[in-house]
Amino acid sequence: MKQRIGLAAALALAAGLLVAQAPAPAPAGFGGGRELQRLTGQRFSDNCSGCHGTPGAVGRAPNLFDARLLSARSDADMFRIIKAGIDGAEMPAFADMLPDDQIWQMIAWIRLEADNAQPRPAFVADPDGAEITSEAQTFRIKVLARGLDTPWGIAALPDGRLLVTERPGRLRLIAADGSMATVAGTPPVWERQDAGLMDVAIDPDFARNGWVYLSLVELQPGYQLPPPPVLKPGERPPNHPSMSIIVRGRINAAGQWVDQQLLFRAPLDRYTPSGVHYGSRLGFDPQGRLLFSIGERGDMKNAQDLGTPLGKLHRINRDGSIPADNPFVKRAGAVPSILSYGHRNPQGLAFDAAGRLWQSEHGPSGGDEINLITPGGNYGWGVVSMGIQPGIAAREAPGMIGPIAYYTPTIAPSGIMVYHGNRYPRWAGNLFVAALSGQHLRRLVLDGDRITHQEVLFKSYGRVRAVTTDARGHIIALVQQPTGQGTGQPLSAATPGLVIRLEPLP
Ligand code: HEC
């Protein structure tokens, strides 16, 4: 977490220099997060450590960084106690000393600090054959393919093969026996930091029409790359204006990408040199329309601005045209493909059997979200958050839709899926969440629009980026060697990954 903020701040700075604007502060949305956390830690030392101690040192009052205490108390419980104190105990009321936003920040900070003090999950590079007994289902991990570079998106073909994207720009076709071919002639991508070839999806009528959809990041068309600078050791190359685009094409019998059509490209003045928060997950609604997410690219103002496609979920017809019932088609100045807004970096989309759209989204420091999407809804980023974010002082506001579940400390939820198959009867209708920094696959039991139970299925196979169901109803996931905290690698580093299958055991 600490590394992520440091990196983001460094890049925000680099971005500010590169676009050659007047020296500007780091864009709202990141940078400054570390300073707010430091300040919050200082407030804890000033007001609380005397009795409660610190993460490393016990005090005379209960240790607030204790995992059991933290899991027994909700944020709301802690808020009430800190604000009102405890009658008849030494715990004072802070209502007159700390404003509400500082109390919420302190609670998030306590959870982040407690998590930072925990060892990271042990990493098992080759989980093939591992047997896992979870609450409702025993299963065995089968490694289907190895040696992928930062696998990002996955789509199961009706014939049993899998399409997998690798972020550096390859589209792989993986046969049932694990043999891998590269689809030739896919479009070039801008690969830098979090950018590259992102998601892949197949048309709901794929068997008839063969369309394959890709989200990818391109360098701004017409942009002249300056000559590469001479870098000092450890220095990263500068970034340049880029943006996600959506295309579709077909794969012919010779394994070549053909018939490409461009379905979505943002106005060129929206391209930005930020290297983060591209969103880029693809999905289809029950009517067969194409959904995709685009992150706010590290500038939270974008999320509330209907004039930019950044920080939004989008809905278009499969040929790229705009559905007549999109919520903002009649709003002057609004991007007509917008389905919902106020998003930070949404990277998971899934429909349940009743047609509800579930979405996952990365929060700032803590505050990762699972949302239920209503067309036209404002999900609050830029104004409200459950995480620690400079410039955001509230957790809720009128007209803004809060998450169904949120995560502090950070788990970094990426792809999600509702399981509609019948291979694991007790998992029917559950929502599966791939977690990157949390390095786990999480199962959420849904009841209508509520989450009634959660379980982590495994957490030793590295960053989990995407999850889907194959043609035979098996759950498939993409995992990748850990990056970030404690690994010596930047959070966005490319690392080897695997395709794994969860094979049900009786
Ligand atoms: C003068 C000593 C003192 C100070 C200062 C103090 N606390 Fe406490 N606090 C206590 C004691 C003692 C308890 C346990 C009370 C009990 O359970 O009977 C407590 C309990 C709590 C609990 C509930 C713990 C649980 O069991 O779940 C929370 C949360 C908490 N304090 C937060 C804070 C925070 C945050 C601050 C600083 C803003 C703070 N406290 C400052 C003495 C203090």
Side-chain angles (χ1 to χ4, degrees):
M1 203 64 246
K2 283 186 178 137
Q3 285 192 6
R4 167 161 158 178
I5 288 161
L7 185 64
L11 276 147
L13 197 68
L17 294 174
L18 272 160
V19 288
Q21 295 156 340
F30 56 104
R34 177 183 269 183
E35 176 56 16
L36 181 56
Q37 290 188 54
R38 193 195 61 77
L39 251 176
T40 307
Q42 188 60 49
R43 284 190 196 112
F44 185 86
S45 303
D46 295 347
N47 294 287
C48 324
S49 290
C51 295
H52 284 287
T54 60
V58 189
R60 66 177 190 276
N63 187 313
L64 299 178
F65 305 92
D66 176 76
R68 262 198 318 198
L69 183 147
L70 287 176
S71 62
R73 294 265 188 254
S74 70
D75 286 3
D77 293 339
M78 292 177 57
F79 182 83
R80 258 192 312 275
I81 293 171
I82 298 167
K83 201 163 169 165
I86 299 175
D87 266 352
E90 232 191 314
M91 172 67 196
F94 284 90
D96 297 333
M97 281 174 277
L98 295 172
D100 287 3
D101 60 317
Q102 290 183 14
I103 297 180
W104 287 123
Q105 283 158 4
M106 196 176 285
I107 294 163
W109 177 86
I110 290 168
R111 291 194 189 277
L112 293 167
E113 284 296 303
D115 184 60
N116 283 339
Q118 294 289 319
R120 296 294 102 187
F123 174 59
V124 176
D126 189 348
D128 193 48
E131 281 188 23
I132 296 172
T133 303
S134 69
E135 290 171 6
Q137 176 71 52
T138 300
F139 60 94
R140 185 190 294 126
I141 302 287
K142 165 83 182 155
V143 174
L144 297 180
R146 298 167 204 274
L148 290 131
D149 188 350
T150 318
W152 208 98
I154 187 163
L157 299 179
D159 65 6
R161 291 180 300 168
L162 301 170
L163 280 170
V164 175
T165 58
E166 291 173 284
R167 197 178 62 188
R170 277 179 303 271
L171 178 61
R172 300 285 211 167
L173 201 43
I174 301 173
D177 66 358
S179 63
M180 231 174 351
T182 303
V183 177
T186 51
V189 304
W190 173 246
E191 192 220 353
R192 186 67 55 87
Q193 201 173 355
D194 290 342
L197 180 56
M198 312 299 268
D199 207 10
V200 56
I202 62 166
D203 195 281
D205 298 321
F206 176 83
R208 214 168 38 77
N209 63 29
W211 285 119
V212 174
Y213 297 74
L214 297 175
S215 61
L216 58 105
V217 179
E218 66 169 13
L219 186 65
Q220 182 179 306
Y223 180 82
Q224 288 303 314
L225 276 177
V230 181
L231 300 175
K232 297 198 193 78
E235 222 176 14
R236 290 166 147 271
N239 227 323
H240 297 287
S242 67
M243 188 66 76
S244 328
I245 63 170
I246 311 292
V247 302
R248 69 174 176 181
R250 294 187 174 96
I251 300 168
N252 68 15
Q256 295 155 332
W257 180 255
V258 294
D259 302 339
Q260 180 173 300
Q261 298 175 352
L262 175 67
L263 302 182
F264 178 86
R265 173 180 272 150
L268 297 194
D269 62 355
R270 297 295 179 178
Y271 283 57
T272 140
S274 155
V276 298
H277 303 179
Y278 289 90
S280 298
R281 195 61 69 187
L282 300 172
F284 290 94
D285 74 5
Q287 297 99 300
R289 297 176 294 189
L290 178 63
L291 307 186
F292 58 93
S293 62
I294 300 189
E296 40 69 301
R297 300 296 297 286
D299 185 346
M300 69 180 182
K301 288 190 308 298
N302 288 327
Q304 291 294 323
D305 177 358
L306 290 172
T308 166
L310 305 186
K312 313 293 182 320
L313 296 188
H314 297 266
R315 180 171 69 188
I316 59 178
N317 295 316
R318 281 179 262 169
D319 62 0
S321 62
I322 303 293
D325 62 344
N326 267 11
F328 300 109
V329 276
K330 299 203 176 75
R331 176 93 57 108
V335 175
S337 54
I338 294 175
L339 179 65
S340 60
Y341 67 111
H343 299 297
R344 186 172 178 273
N345 188 21
Q347 293 198 321
L349 296 172
F351 282 90
D352 67 21
R356 294 182 201 87
L357 173 56
W358 295 83
Q359 176 253 29
S360 73
E361 159 162 356
H362 300 283
S365 295
D368 294 335
E369 299 180 355
I370 301 292
N371 292 303
L372 257 179
I373 300 298
T374 307
N378 180 353
Y379 288 80
W381 179 240
V383 182
V384 294
S385 173
M386 299 297 191
I388 300 185
Q389 173 62 33
I392 292 187
R395 292 197 149 197
E396 48 186 45
M400 297 189 183
I401 304 172
I404 305 297
Y406 69 93
Y407 301 94
T408 303
T410 302
I411 65 166
S414 186
I416 65 173
M417 167 195 77
V418 174
Y419 184 64
H420 299 293
N422 57 11
R423 292 273 174 184
Y424 328 78
R426 296 180 65 194
W427 287 354
N430 291 175
L431 181 71
F432 291 78
V433 177
L436 292 165
S437 68
Q439 298 181 28
H440 63 244
L441 184 65
R442 179 176 284 262
R443 180 176 72 96
L444 279 56
V445 180
L446 307 181
D447 178 11
D449 56 7
R450 292 183 319 130
I451 295 164
T452 55
H453 182 67
Q454 301 197 32
E455 175 192 20
V456 169
L457 292 172
F458 56 75
K459 57 175 181 193
S460 298
Y461 312 143
R463 295 158 69 75
V464 191
R465 179 88 60 178
V467 54
T468 193
T469 309
D470 73 10
R472 291 161 57 222
H474 285 132
I475 295 177
I476 310 278
L478 299 179
V479 298
Q480 180 203 347
Q481 228 170 72
T483 60
Q485 190 177 35
T487 63
Q489 303 245 41
L491 195 64
S492 58
T495 56
L498 310 172
V499 184
I500 61 172
R501 180 164 69 207
L502 278 55
E503 298 188 324
L505 297 175

